[in-house]
Amino acid sequence: MAVRIGTFNTENLFRRPSVFRLPDATRRKEVLDDFDTLVALLDKETYTDKDKQKISELILKHRAYSSDPVNPPLIYVNQNRPGKKSGLFDTPPPGTEPTELPILAGGRAKWAGWAELGQDDLDMAAVSNTGRVVREVNAEVLLTPEVEDRLTLDRFNEQVLGPGWQPYPVDLLIDGNDPRGIDIGILTRFPVTSVRPHLFDPDPEDPTKHLFSRDCPEYEIQLDQESLVLLGNHLKSKFNDDPELRLHQAERVAEIYRAALERTPNVVVAGDLNDTPDSKPVETLLDAGLRDVMSHPSYQGDDLGTHGSCKQRSDKLDYIMLSPALWEKVQNVGLETRGIFAHSNHFNTVKTKIDEASDHAALYVDVAV
């Protein structure tokens, strides 16, 4: 039996943080940097006067107090119990833009709520093109990094993939550590018999923090008489880069891979590793005995990468890596690039950057199991 296994970073399915739609890269970075700073400050046990001043400045700068549906803020502070003097701040009246915003809470435990990135709906043409890529690949097992949540994945499966096409019997996702709602899901035509999340694996540099930016879920899948373990990945991005953290994540993935081999010889490491083939994180996984499917002789494509134009090895961020037993059973390797606007060969329905399916290609491999 031949099984097609794929990975496709969908860049969200229906809703996406509004900041990622800003055309100015410098402005995007500024907003995301401010968001990281605000989250770090709000998580402090005690707020100093300097902390309160900075928190107030950031909230005012980004109108993070506003719930205006016509002009929503890029950053929003959601207060669960914003009663008078019981929240982080007193919410200004609608339609006002205060010049001062006193911070009332003295620390993280003194108020209930969080900071989040504002989101808006994706263009429906982009959603349709994402569905088109998934249907064209037609994998029996498809890993989907960057999905908002499980119900969104289910809605995409039923409403976008469904008409005129058989939806996947299983669409599964466990919410991860990313505060932006960027999680790792799976669509599969085979039963998932177990899921092992690694949300709480500690960072070796600081055991009080979680290691994985998202998660490294272990999906155990029953393929008739064979079982397969798929380790889904979306390692630390290069925004506000932390190469050491990405390396530690890869080292932990290698440990999880070796443990999975004790249960089955059929193990796959897949997803967006956010690093190039010559990087230390990728080398760590290859040194564990895994093999990158794009290095298999059956891959005959001209593209060297999986992101953007896909023309250079430096464009390669997405991987399917196989255990030795699966490597011996590879029949075909392919790359679906037609959902990317920057690629020279894209669908006629991809007309702009706004309506592209993703800026990642979908990578897949056919394995006889």
Side-chain angles (χ1 to χ4, degrees), residues 261-279:
L261 279 178
E262 297 178 5
R263 307 196 303 274
T264 175
N266 304 317
V267 184
V268 180
V269 173
D272 182 353
L273 301 186
N274 268 315
D275 228 327
T276 54
D278 58 352
S279 65

Side-chain angles (χ1 to χ4, degrees), residues 59 80 86 120 123 132 183 192-193 235 309 327 331 335:
I59 291 173
N80 276 358
S86 65
D120 59 12
D123 188 287
R132 187 172 180 181
D183 297 316
V192 175
T193 56
L235 300 189
S309 69
W327 180 262
Q331 296 180 330
L335 194 66

Side-chain angles (χ1 to χ4, degrees), residues 56 77 97 118 143 163 177 212 246 314 324 330:
S56 177
V77 175
E97 295 193 7
L143 189 77
N177 291 322
F212 289 109
R246 194 160 49 249
S314 58
V330 171

Side-chain angles (χ1 to χ4, degrees), residues 4 6-8 134 137 139-144 168 185-188:
R4 176 165 292 183
T7 181
F8 179 35
V134 173
V137 171
E140 280 81 23
V141 179
L142 181 66
L143 189 77
T144 58
Y168 287 91
I186 189 173
L187 297 165
T188 173

Side-chain angles (χ1 to χ4, degrees), residues 7-13 15 17 20 119 142-153 172-187 197 199 212-217 219 232-235 270-272:
T7 181
F8 179 35
N9 184 324
T10 63
E11 286 199 298
N12 295 71
L13 296 175
R15 290 178 60 79
F20 292 128
Q119 298 200 357
L142 181 66
L143 189 77
T144 58
E146 291 206 26
V147 171
E148 295 93 305
D149 52 53
R150 214 288 295 180
L151 292 178
T152 296
L153 182 61
L172 187 58
L173 179 150
I174 295 177
D175 283 338
N177 291 322
D178 196 308
R180 297 169 297 173
I182 295 178
D183 297 316
I184 304 170
I186 189 173
L187 297 165
L199 292 165
F212 289 109
S213 314
R214 265 66 69 162
D215 190 9
C216 176
Y219 294 109
N233 284 273
H234 190 181
L235 300 189
D272 182 353

